Amino acid sequence: MRPGELVIVGAHYDSVGNPGANDNGSGTAAIMEAAQVLGARAFEATLRIIAFDNEEGGLVGSAAYVDAHPNDSVRCMLNVDTIAQDGGDHKLSIDSSNHLAMENQVAAAMGRYGQGIVTVVRQTGDMSDHLSFESGGFTACEVYNNDWWDHGDPYIHGAGDSVDTPGYINYAFATKVTRGVVGFLAEQAVLVAAP
Ligand SMILES: [Zn+2]
């Protein structure tokens, strides 16, 4: 056992002047599901599941968290931000500034547990809470729907980011991504016992 070692998963729960169904109700739902599925199980490491506030204002919540925990032993931090848009190709972006090895581990877990998710590994950094962890010297990356790259997102940060927008929120895709996230966390924290 190594309970002092943390495996962190996070999602921001604020949004920009709209219901925030995709950005980032989808990621928030994913980490709540991870807590539901994994919370009753035992792991060698400690799983820490965090909902961050005020990502949209400049990564404020995650930066405050990192500032308050500079000496944590963090194996890795996975950020789940906007995972419910799928134009039909089932693509998920995995992105970081410079943590390619972790990104490849996430991609492998998506392959094992994602039920057809196609991963695209990027190193653009993007702009979300994983950057606070990378800036703090921790290993971190993000998952988000790749459709943003291929087709754009007409609803992000607008009133249309709602479950009421026809054809926008793809529950099946978000569920598969969530499966991959949960599988990745179980692998990284190392499941030792079932309830
Ligand atoms: Zn977001």
Side-chain angles (χ1 to χ4, degrees), residues 18-150:
N18 59 52
N22 192 19
D23 183 16
N24 188 28
S26 63
T28 304
I31 68 168
M32 291 173 71
E33 183 66 13
Q36 174 84 12
V37 171
L38 300 175
R41 290 168 165 79
F43 298 89
E44 290 187 4
T46 295
L47 271 172
R48 185 165 287 173
I49 298 171
I50 308 174
F52 293 111
D53 196 4
N54 207 359
E55 183 267 353
E56 304 287 7
L59 317 183
V60 176
S62 57
Y65 177 87
V66 170
D67 283 348
H69 301 82
N71 300 315
D72 277 0
S73 175
V74 179
R75 178 180 175 87
C76 60
M77 182 273 182
L78 179 63
N79 178 33
V80 186
D81 188 356
T82 310
I83 57 166
Q85 185 190 16
D86 177 23
D89 52 13
H90 315 307
K91 284 185 183 173
L92 180 73
S93 278
I94 304 171
D95 210 332
S96 78
S97 297
N98 61 352
H99 289 103
L100 184 59
M102 180 189 173
E103 291 180 65
N104 286 331
Q105 290 173 331
V106 174
M110 288 292 163
R112 282 190 280 275
Y113 307 110
Q115 297 181 319
I117 295 284
V118 177
T119 51
V120 182
V121 173
R122 303 179 183 275
Q123 290 205 287
T124 75
D126 195 41
M127 177 56 73
S128 185
D129 291 319
H130 59 292
L131 290 188
S132 294
F133 285 78
E134 291 196 277
S135 296
F138 299 113
T139 298
C141 74
E142 175 193 26
V143 291
Y144 58 99
N145 43 224
N146 188 74
D147 232 40
W148 188 86
W149 288 96
D150 288 345

